[in-house]
Amino acid sequence: MSSERRIPTGIAGLDRVIEGGVRDKSTLLVVGSSGTGKSTFAMQYLNYGLEHGENGLYISMEEPPEQIMREAKMLGFNLDKYYEKELFFFHSKGKDFVKLVDEQLPALVEANKNYAVKTRVIIDPLTPLIWAIQDKQEQREIITKLFYTLKQLGPVLITTEEHAAPGETIGEDVLIPIYMSDGAVHLTYRPIGGAFNRALEIVKMRATRHGEEVYPYIFVRGVGVVVRTTPLISAEDVHKYDDVFDKAIRTAADIGASERMLERLVYVKENWSYPFSPKETLQIFFESQGLNDAVTKEELEKRKKIEASSPESQLDLNELSGGTLQVDDDVVMPDFQGDVSASDSSEEGLIEIDSLNELEELIQ
């Protein structure tokens, strides 16, 4: 597991599959069409931070603060008690948003430098800004500046409306903010049997080992969003494949792997979170590092004796055939093309001649 401190999102179930939460000073983008619950995600994320001693900054480009707090209360989140104490709002529209990015937010960041309390930032939604700026280069520049500025306050959650065309996995209108964000989750819903079935998928999460499934979610009043996930790896399975890794590490050491490679294998062992055996992954990795050849313990000892008697002699893996590494056996099997002493015996009948006179005398 990663040793980096994670900040819980407060979204029930989501933190299970993103290593416990988001990274500090990062941006999480929530993308979805109308009705997927993006604002509920935002309110729940904000409310969790406020309840745990953080400050909150809510930047709204559509709804005024009073309406946001009224809707939050219907979900069971009482934001009123934090209003203008720990929770602050920026309600900006159209061209005013450019002024907010260029002037007001940098001033807020500067004023906040002397405070140790983290501030959770919400932008709900970013869509009006995307639609207001048609030039893609200008759009990218202002989004980059916005994200960079806000991340200095703390972890940021941004919602974005999506209008995907039929057959599109993700709409083209949200590609720039997805690319610029540190993490992105995609919310979808499909009408099935008269009911809406909502699901979440993690599109990206930088420097985070995250789940790769499609996770259904529901709305529960008093709780908010509940994402139906199971942890990437359960507590009882944390050390399930330690024996496989230990044997692979011993094998790598036996066949001359570098210290750096051994360190990498240990790191993989400590961070393996998949429910299946790492054996195939290790075999592919060994092959990519040129360590797919195998030797028996007896042959290894034999070669060590040769090296000891002749310092210039080195173990050459090129002499071995491309046998498959068996990481779950105590001994890996060899497949030699010939005995190492064969070349020496083939030269025993040769006579050394230093000059033509010696050759003539020999013939006579």
Side-chain angles (χ1 to χ4, degrees):
M1 298 293 291
S2 172
S3 59
E4 182 182 19
R5 177 181 174 271
R6 295 279 167 163
I7 301 173
T9 63
I11 298 168
L14 178 60
D15 293 338
R16 283 177 166 185
V17 290
I18 56 172
E19 293 196 88
V22 294
R23 297 159 58 226
D24 192 14
K25 298 183 179 180
S26 64
T27 50
L28 174 62
L29 189 72
V30 179
V31 181
S33 58
S34 179
T36 52
K38 299 182 299 298
S39 291
T40 304
F41 270 77
M43 292 175 187
Q44 189 170 342
Y45 177 84
L46 177 67
N47 185 72
Y48 183 90
L50 292 171
E51 288 183 343
H52 288 79
E54 299 176 359
N55 289 338
L57 173 63
Y58 201 116
I59 301 172
S60 173
M61 298 182 68
E62 291 183 344
E63 299 178 349
E66 295 75 19
Q67 185 174 343
I68 293 169
M69 289 189 290
R70 186 166 57 250
E71 292 175 357
K73 187 174 291 186
M74 293 175 63
L75 292 168
F77 306 138
N78 185 11
L79 301 181
D80 297 46
K81 63 181 181 180
Y82 302 107
Y83 184 45
E84 293 189 344
K85 297 176 184 176
E86 294 86 13
L87 173 60
F88 303 91
F89 287 88
F90 273 120
H91 186 211
S92 182
K93 289 186 177 181
K95 295 181 180 179
D96 292 340
F97 194 82
V98 176
K99 182 179 180 181
L100 176 70
V101 175
D102 287 339
E103 300 177 15
Q104 293 172 298
L105 290 180
L108 178 64
V109 170
E110 184 65 27
N112 198 64
K113 280 185 177 180
N114 296 326
Y115 295 93
V117 178
K118 287 293 179 186
T119 299
R120 290 199 179 206
V121 183
I122 302 293
I123 303 178
D124 181 34
L126 186 66
T127 310
L129 173 63
I130 296 174
W131 289 351
I133 303 175
Q134 298 299 320
D135 182 77
K136 295 297 183 182
Q137 183 61 36
E138 184 182 356
Q139 186 184 115
R140 175 170 178 155
E141 289 174 357
I142 194 167
I143 291 175
T144 300
K145 185 173 183 179
L146 174 66
F147 286 7
Y148 173 78
T149 303
L150 291 178
K151 285 196 292 186
Q152 296 178 66
L153 293 172
V156 184
L157 186 144
I158 302 150
T159 69
T160 308
E161 186 82 14
E162 177 193 37
H163 295 82
E168 285 184 340
T169 305
I170 294 178
E172 184 180 353
D173 55 336
V174 297
L175 291 181
I176 289 179
I178 286 178
Y179 176 75
M180 301 307 301
S181 66
D182 298 301
V185 297
H186 189 211
L187 308 181
T188 59
Y189 73 89
R190 298 177 179 84
I192 300 176
F196 289 111
N197 290 269
R198 294 175 171 85
L200 174 151
E201 185 176 5
I202 300 171
V203 178
K204 63 183 284 191
M205 201 68 63
R206 287 175 181 159
T208 301
R209 183 177 63 253
H210 62 79
E212 299 177 353
E213 300 177 26
V214 177
Y215 304 102
Y217 64 93
I218 58 175
F219 299 108
V220 179
R221 287 187 180 273
V223 177
V225 178
V226 178
V227 186
R228 296 168 59 188
T229 60
T230 55
L232 285 180
I233 184 168
S234 61
E236 59 269 20
D237 288 341
V238 169
H239 302 293
K240 184 176 180 179
Y241 297 111
D242 280 4
D243 287 346
V244 177
F245 278 109
D246 290 341
K247 290 174 182 178
I249 293 168
R250 288 198 301 269
T251 300
D254 285 347
I255 59 178
S258 66
E259 287 296 325
R260 175 58 184 148
M261 181 175 176
L262 296 178
E263 290 173 1
R264 290 173 67 184
L265 289 172
V266 171
Y267 187 79
V268 173
K269 172 187 172 182
E270 293 172 349
N271 289 273
W272 186 262
S273 62
Y274 296 100
F276 51 83
S277 172
K279 188 161 59 175
E280 182 181 9
T281 301
L282 289 168
Q283 289 176 343
I284 294 171
F285 176 65
F286 271 59
E287 182 178 343
S288 72
Q289 300 297 312
L291 293 173
N292 57 317
D293 299 301
V295 293
T296 60
K297 290 182 179 179
E298 292 78 6
E299 182 60 26
L300 184 64
E301 291 300 322
K302 180 179 177 181
R303 288 174 175 267
K304 285 182 178 178
K305 290 180 181 178
I306 295 175
E307 290 178 9
S309 62
S310 177
E312 296 179 357
S313 174
Q314 298 293 330
L315 177 62
D316 186 0
L317 292 180
N318 292 327
E319 294 179 5
L320 307 177
S321 69
T324 302
L325 175 68
Q326 303 294 329
V327 298
D328 56 343
D329 293 333
D330 287 330
V331 179
V332 284
M333 299 305 295
D335 185 6
F336 297 108
Q337 293 179 341
D339 188 83
V340 293
S341 61
S343 60
D344 294 335
S345 61
S346 65
E347 295 177 0
E348 289 179 357
L350 297 180
I351 302 174
E352 295 184 2
I353 299 176
D354 296 330
S355 65
L356 289 176
N357 291 335
E358 291 183 14
L359 178 60
E360 292 176 357
E361 291 176 0
L362 181 62
I363 294 174
Q364 293 174 358

